[in-house]
């Protein structure tokens, strides 16, 4: 596999995978070519299309969420990846190997070395202790007991459960049980961890906690997570990219904001009803560079005043040569400073507004809200190097909200 | 009216011919089947009778205590001692040897058959009527062919017992394995387990409580059969019962019967505790 330093490393590639349930798939393929829908095909042939022409790639280190309503084929799709369900046709390439062509031995090898899975129902072994459960994948691999217990213990430490290693799963709460499931998935050190609605059976608080836990575990890791979910909030929270499935097809793949901004069809739009956009959009997503900026080394009070008058603006954003953010000056403050004749008009520092702190581009709109209401100027946005990325004004913020509201309105109009 | 049953199927003759053909042509093979059972039975019987009674009683106390708690241990030693005091110690030991031999064979054959039928619906469908027949055919019916094929005696009695008491362990092994949650099987496969690993690491351990329940039933059935087996010359606690029946010695039949009941209760409590113990873990 090519390892290109600029683009992320590809882990898994799925090319037009199909799964057709219920006997000889040929008649269904014929009808698919005629462009028939899933329901029609079922009526005519009794064959159910589980997955319809799914193609996507997954990269090292990312969390790829496959989202869809129940019956959309997402659980089937994820099982095609480790062939718990045999794909009817298509190609699934892992580490340059087409796993659909593997014999039983090769498949067992792939499952042991490259993949692990976490289940909605936890699927812990009731006859084994927490430690033995966490070590289960290693036991199947044939790792010696001492070694596998060490690795399982490390995995339990990662999920904060080393203190209950000797208990049985039955005595643990749901959240703790799924941590054991997570530890079992982690202990084999997989390239790809498949998570099938892994947090769906947990109550909302624990669920958020587990999502944070997963994000923390993924930090700086090259492990790929393929996460199945029916919950948009969850997908938005943890997904680097999301694939949305509808009746067996993948209808859209993209980053969360991308899908939210340009939903491919009504089905995708429907998902976003009820989602609070202030939790989804990051500051950097909506910041604009429409404000007046001024380089610090040229900033004299009069020069800035002239520029502001020219553009009919109240505030100027002062930046260093390398575009690092320094501060904001306002027309009123410049005016006041100029009236004080003891001050050198080439020194702009007395004109800076006090208490203006830039916001990081990764902050959610929710987090900007307090600054947006208290600052007299639009909120400056910077990246991790303190480079100025633009500003967010109250007007822009409201516009963002209302655009999301428009999507909802058009949807309700159509349905009513 | 026409008598539709004027012409009858000579099924009885056919069965007779079939069995006689088996006896005529395969008696040596059937006698060979007897061999290992006979060796095992005699070894166990000799050992139980050779051991001092105190040691055997102590063994019951310890086994009962370790598997099911001190109450069952105490109950076991008291019951067995009581049987001894009624003068039927040797018969009891022979019955115990018969039950142990029969159950060992039942487990050796029944558990693999149960595993097979849990893995193949077709095999299960074929096996089911056979098991029904084995369980419902009155015991006296197959005593006749058993005698013809294996002659009379304690070993023949054990063979009849094996046939009669094997179905539960097959059925419950099958059931236990099929009851293992499919999610667990799927999870096991997802970690790259082979079929054999799934069987030994997940299916058998999780089915164990159910298999033990089958073992318990098999033991109970074999205890009820060893009495009937005395009809074909098998030794043990059936003998005083049979004698009592023949000569209307109600006291003799009574103590024989009581011995069987007490032994059944002891073995039942112990094996049941084994099953639930597995479950608790």
């Amino acid at each position: 596999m090519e390892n290109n330093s600029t683009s992320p490393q590809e882990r898994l590639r799925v090319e037009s995978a199909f799964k057709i349930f219920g006997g000889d798939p040929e008649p269904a393929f014929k009808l698919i070519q005629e462009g028939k829908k899933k329901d029609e095909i079922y009526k005519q042939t009794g064959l159910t299309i589980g997955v319809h022409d799914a193609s996507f790639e997954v990269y090292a280190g990312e969390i790829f969420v496959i989202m869809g309503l129940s019956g959309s084929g997402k659980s089937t799709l994820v099982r095609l990846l480790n062939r718990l369900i045999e794909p009817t046709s298509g190609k699934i390439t892992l580490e340059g190997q087409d796993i659909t062509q593997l014999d039983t031995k090769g498949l067992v090898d792939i499952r042991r070395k490259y993949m692990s899975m976490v289940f909605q129902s936890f699927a812990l072994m009731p006859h084994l202790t927490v430690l033995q459960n966490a070590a289960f994948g290693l036991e199947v691999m044939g790792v010696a007991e001492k070694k596998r217990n060490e690795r399982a213990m490390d995995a339990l430490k990662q999920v904060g459960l080393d203190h209950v290693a000797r208990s049985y799963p039955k005595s643990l709460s749901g959240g703790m049980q799924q941590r054991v499931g997570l530890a079992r998935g982690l202990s084999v050190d997989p390239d790809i961890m498949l998570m099938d609605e892994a947090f769906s059976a947990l109550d909302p608080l624990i669920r958020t906690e587990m999502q944070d836990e997963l994000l923390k575990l993924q930090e700086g890791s090259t492990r790929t997570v393929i996460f199945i979910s029916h919950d948009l909030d969850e997908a938005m929270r943890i997904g680097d990219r999301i694939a949305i499935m509808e009746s067996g097809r993948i209808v859209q793949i993209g980053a969360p904001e991308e899908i939210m901004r340009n939903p491919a069809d009504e089905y995708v739009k429907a998902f976003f009803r009820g989602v609070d956009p202030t939790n989804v959009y990051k500051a950097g997503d909506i910041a604009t560079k429409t404000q007046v900026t001024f380089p610090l080394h040229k900033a004299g009070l009069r020069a800035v005043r002239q520029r502001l008058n020219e553009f009919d603006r109240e505030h100027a954003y002062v930046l260093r040569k390398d575009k690092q953010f320094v501060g904001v000056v306002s027309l009123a403050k410049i005016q006041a400073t100029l009236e004080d004749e003891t001050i050198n008009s080439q020194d702009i520092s007395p004109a800076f507004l006090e208490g203006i702190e830039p916001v990081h581009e990764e902050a959610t709109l929710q987090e900007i809200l307090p600054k947006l209401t208290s600052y007299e100027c639009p909120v400056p946005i910077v990246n991790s190097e303190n480079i100025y990325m633009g500003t967010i004004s109250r007007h822009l913020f409201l516009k963002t909200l209302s655009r999301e509201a428009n999507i909802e309105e058009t949807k309700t109009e159509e349905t009513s | 009216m026409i008598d539709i049953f004027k012409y009858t199927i000579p099924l009885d003759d056919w069965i007779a011919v079939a069995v006689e053909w088996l006896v005529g042509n395969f008696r040596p093979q059937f006698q060979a089947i007897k061999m290992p059972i006979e060796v095992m039975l005699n070894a166990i019987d000799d050992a139980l009778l050779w051991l001092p009674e105190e040691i055997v009683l102590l063994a019951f106390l310890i086994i009962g205590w370790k598997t099911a708690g001190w109450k069952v241990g105490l109950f076991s030693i008291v019951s067995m001692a009581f049987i001894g005091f009624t003068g039927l110690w040797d018969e009891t030991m022979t019955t115990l040897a018969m039950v142990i031999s029969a159950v060992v064979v039942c487990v050796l054959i029944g558990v693999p058959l149960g595993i097979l039928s849990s893995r193949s619906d077709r095999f299960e469908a074929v096996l089911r009527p056979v098991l029904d027949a084995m369980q419902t055919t009155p015991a006296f019916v197959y005593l006749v062919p058993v005698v013809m094929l294996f002659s009379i005696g304690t070993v023949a009695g054990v063979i009849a017992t094996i046939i009669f008491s094997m179905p539960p362990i097959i059925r419950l092994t099958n059931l236990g394995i099929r009851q293992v949650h499919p999610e667990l099987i799927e999870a096991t496969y997802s970690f790259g387990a082979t079929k054999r690993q799934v069987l030994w690491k997940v299916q058998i351990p999780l089915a164990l409580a159910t298999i033990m329940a089958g073992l318990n039933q098999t033991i109970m059935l074999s205890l009820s059969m060893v009495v009937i087996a005395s009809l074909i010359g098998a030794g043990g606690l059936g003998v005083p019962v049979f004698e009592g029946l023949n000569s209307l010695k109600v006291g003799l039949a009574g103590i024989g019967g009581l011995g069987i009941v007490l032994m059944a209760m002891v073995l039942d409590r112990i094996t049941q505790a084994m099953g639930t113990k597995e479950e608790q873990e």
Side-chain angles (χ1 to χ4, degrees):
Chain A
M1 199 181 289
E2 275 180 51
N3 194 352
N4 194 323
S5 61
T6 49
S7 69
Q9 190 190 353
E10 184 182 290
R11 267 281 159 75
L12 184 79
R13 170 183 284 270
V14 178
E15 287 163 86
S16 55
F18 278 89
K19 177 63 198 181
I20 292 161
F21 293 105
D24 179 22
E26 277 315 311
F29 276 123
K30 233 173 250 166
L31 292 174
I32 284 169
Q33 278 180 356
E34 289 168 23
K36 292 272 165 54
K37 285 264 166 63
K38 183 180 174 176
D39 297 344
E40 289 175 82
I41 294 172
Y42 178 71
K43 254 182 221 159
Q44 284 186 34
T45 61
L47 298 169
T48 308
I49 298 184
V51 174
H52 182 139
D53 198 12
S55 298
F56 58 91
E57 311 80 49
V58 190
Y59 301 99
E62 77 169 337
I63 301 184
F64 184 76
V65 179
I66 300 174
M67 193 179 68
L69 300 175
S70 62
S72 58
K74 54 193 191 305
S75 283
T76 307
L77 177 58
V78 76
R79 280 167 176 73
L80 299 185
L81 305 182
N82 59 359
R83 277 176 59 193
L84 282 175
I85 296 176
E86 286 293 334
T88 308
S89 70
K91 204 170 155 192
I92 299 170
T93 321
L94 172 75
E95 307 285 327
Q97 221 176 352
D98 182 1
I99 67 164
T100 59
Q101 300 301 318
L102 292 174
D103 58 4
T104 314
K105 204 173 158 289
L107 180 62
V108 157
D109 210 45
I110 287 277
R111 285 175 180 167
R112 286 180 182 179
K113 285 189 186 150
Y114 297 105
M115 290 180 164
S116 67
M117 197 161 178
V118 183
F119 297 84
Q120 180 175 13
S121 63
F122 318 144
L124 300 177
M125 303 301 158
H127 63 295
L128 301 179
T129 62
V130 165
L131 182 67
Q132 288 168 327
N133 263 292
F136 190 75
L138 298 165
E139 189 189 337
V140 165
M141 252 191 242
V143 177
E145 186 166 356
K146 193 160 167 271
K147 179 92 188 170
R148 71 176 186 243
N149 283 350
E150 272 169 26
R151 284 174 67 180
M153 205 61 187
D154 284 344
L156 284 175
K157 274 181 195 147
Q158 283 186 55
V159 299
L161 277 189
D162 44 322
H163 61 289
V164 292
R166 302 174 70 125
S167 314
Y168 283 90
K170 215 164 47 176
S171 64
L172 305 182
S173 69
M176 284 168 97
Q177 288 192 30
Q178 193 57 307
R179 279 167 198 266
V180 180
L182 202 53
R184 180 174 65 180
L186 291 170
S187 68
V188 297
D189 194 20
D191 284 355
I192 300 177
M193 188 156 70
L194 307 172
M195 302 183 73
D196 182 19
E197 300 252 13
F199 304 149
S200 300
L202 305 173
D203 62 65
L205 265 176
I206 306 289
R207 199 161 165 183
T208 318
E209 209 181 295
M210 294 295 286
Q211 291 163 358
D212 291 341
E213 189 92 34
L214 179 66
L215 290 172
K216 216 175 75 198
L217 287 168
Q218 281 301 103
E219 259 169 38
S221 168
T222 58
R223 185 194 312 117
T224 298
V225 171
I226 298 180
F227 196 104
I228 305 295
S229 180
H230 65 262
D231 178 1
L232 182 71
D233 286 329
E234 183 167 74
M236 289 282 176
R237 247 185 121 216
I238 64 173
D240 293 315
R241 287 189 304 141
I242 302 177
I244 297 187
M245 283 191 82
E246 184 202 3
S247 50
R249 293 166 187 265
I250 295 180
V251 288
Q252 192 170 12
I253 299 182
E257 310 85 38
E258 221 173 284
I259 295 181
M260 184 155 184
R261 223 175 291 168
N262 303 308
D265 61 13
E266 288 304 319
Y267 179 83
V268 180
K269 266 188 210 166
F271 265 114
F272 290 95
R273 277 187 298 166
V275 170
D276 182 355
T278 57
N279 269 328
V280 178
Y281 281 137
K282 301 204 171 91
D285 292 331
I286 64 165
T288 57
K289 289 191 173 171
T290 53
Q291 296 294 326
V292 171
T293 59
F294 215 92
L296 182 64
H297 62 282
K298 289 186 190 163
L301 288 171
R302 290 199 172 80
V304 178
R305 181 174 65 178
Q306 195 199 332
R307 176 73 70 87
L308 285 174
N309 285 331
E310 204 175 297
F311 285 90
D312 191 22
R313 293 280 185 180
E314 282 293 312
H315 303 96
Y317 292 75
V318 181
L319 311 177
R320 262 189 252 284
K321 232 181 189 168
D322 57 2
K323 302 285 181 204
Q324 281 207 44
F325 176 78
V326 181
V328 185
V329 292
S330 75
L331 201 52
K333 200 97 185 254
I334 291 173
Q335 207 64 46
T337 316
L338 277 173
E339 275 161 23
D340 185 348
E341 284 175 359
T342 63
I343 290 171
N344 175 6
S345 71
Q346 279 310 305
D347 179 15
I348 199 167
S349 53
F352 280 128
L353 295 176
E354 278 158 30
I356 303 288
E357 281 180 13
V359 170
H360 193 265
E361 60 176 347
E362 290 290 315
T364 64
L365 296 195
Q366 197 70 51
E367 290 166 286
I368 304 172
L369 207 48
K371 286 183 176 165
L372 204 58
T373 49
S374 63
Y375 289 3
E376 62 170 276
C377 62
V379 179
I381 309 298
V382 296
N383 69 7
S384 303
E385 278 85 50
N386 201 34
I387 305 290
Y388 173 80
M389 305 301 289
T391 60
I392 296 174
S393 65
R394 289 171 204 157
H395 176 73
L396 181 65
F397 185 81
L398 290 175
K399 215 171 76 185
T400 309
L401 290 190
S402 75
R403 188 169 55 195
E404 298 314 320
N406 281 339
I407 293 176
E408 284 180 42
E409 271 167 33
T410 45
K411 182 69 200 163
T412 36
E413 274 163 28
E414 277 160 24
T415 49
S416 60
Chain B
M1 237 175 78
I2 313 162
D3 181 3
I4 60 163
F5 295 131
K6 193 166 70 182
Y7 302 101
T8 55
I9 308 167
L11 187 59
D12 47 351
D13 292 342
W14 297 349
I15 292 172
V17 168
V19 173
E20 266 158 33
W21 178 77
L22 272 179
V23 174
N25 294 289
F26 294 99
R27 198 153 197 275
Q29 282 85 339
F30 280 99
Q31 291 292 328
I33 294 174
K34 239 171 99 168
M35 250 284 292
I37 297 172
E38 187 165 11
V39 170
M40 175 167 57
L41 175 71
N42 288 340
I44 298 171
D45 196 20
D46 290 348
L48 286 172
L49 288 172
W50 172 80
L51 281 171
E53 291 89 339
E54 299 84 355
I55 300 290
V56 178
L57 286 175
L58 213 62
F60 267 99
L61 173 73
I62 291 167
I63 293 170
W65 180 26
K66 286 288 170 201
T67 55
W70 63 272
K71 280 184 187 168
V72 171
L74 206 63
F75 172 73
S76 303
I77 190 172
V78 169
S79 306
M80 296 311 287
F82 180 79
I83 297 172
F85 286 121
T86 60
L88 292 177
W89 183 258
D90 287 2
E91 285 83 352
T92 306
M93 289 304 106
T94 301
T95 296
L96 190 59
M98 287 174 73
V99 168
I100 292 173
S101 319
V103 168
V104 166
V105 176
C106 283
V107 169
L108 288 179
I109 299 175
V111 171
L113 282 179
I115 292 170
L116 275 178
S117 62
S118 75
R119 303 189 138 198
S120 155
D121 288 340
R122 192 177 297 173
F123 186 75
E124 192 196 19
V126 173
L127 196 62
R128 184 176 283 171
V130 177
L131 295 181
D132 289 341
M134 281 163 78
Q135 267 185 310
T136 53
T137 310
F140 298 100
V141 173
Y142 50 76
L143 287 183
V144 183
V146 165
V147 170
M148 289 169 77
L149 290 166
F150 299 100
S151 62
I152 58 164
T154 307
V155 181
V158 169
I159 289 168
T161 306
I162 290 167
I163 297 168
F164 184 69
S165 50
M166 196 181 314
I169 194 142
I170 299 177
R171 281 185 206 276
L172 285 163
T173 300
N174 173 34
L175 180 73
I177 291 177
R178 281 175 186 264
Q179 270 177 345
V180 173
H181 203 288
E183 285 261 4
L184 295 182
I185 309 287
E186 191 185 39
T188 311
Y189 278 123
S190 80
F191 282 94
T194 58
K195 273 193 161 183
R196 178 177 302 195
Q197 284 179 318
V198 170
L199 180 69
W200 289 105
K201 290 190 190 299
V202 180
Q203 288 177 312
I204 299 264
L206 288 176
L208 209 54
T210 313
I211 296 174
M212 291 306 288
L215 181 72
N216 174 274
Q217 283 191 35
T218 288
I219 291 173
M220 294 299 105
L221 283 184
S222 66
L223 261 170
S224 69
M225 190 60 192
V226 288
V227 180
I228 298 168
S230 65
L231 285 174
I232 57 168
L237 284 169
V239 176
V241 176
F242 187 45
E243 255 180 52
L245 185 69
N246 274 342
S247 44
L248 286 181
K249 287 182 187 156
V250 71
L252 188 62
I255 56 167
L258 190 66
I260 286 166
V261 169
L262 285 176
M263 206 162 97
M265 286 171 74
V266 168
L267 294 179
D268 177 60
R269 298 300 178 274
I270 292 174
T271 51
Q272 236 176 42
M274 286 168 147
T276 46
K277 206 172 170 188
E278 291 296 336
E279 213 161 55
Q280 272 162 8
E281 278 178 15

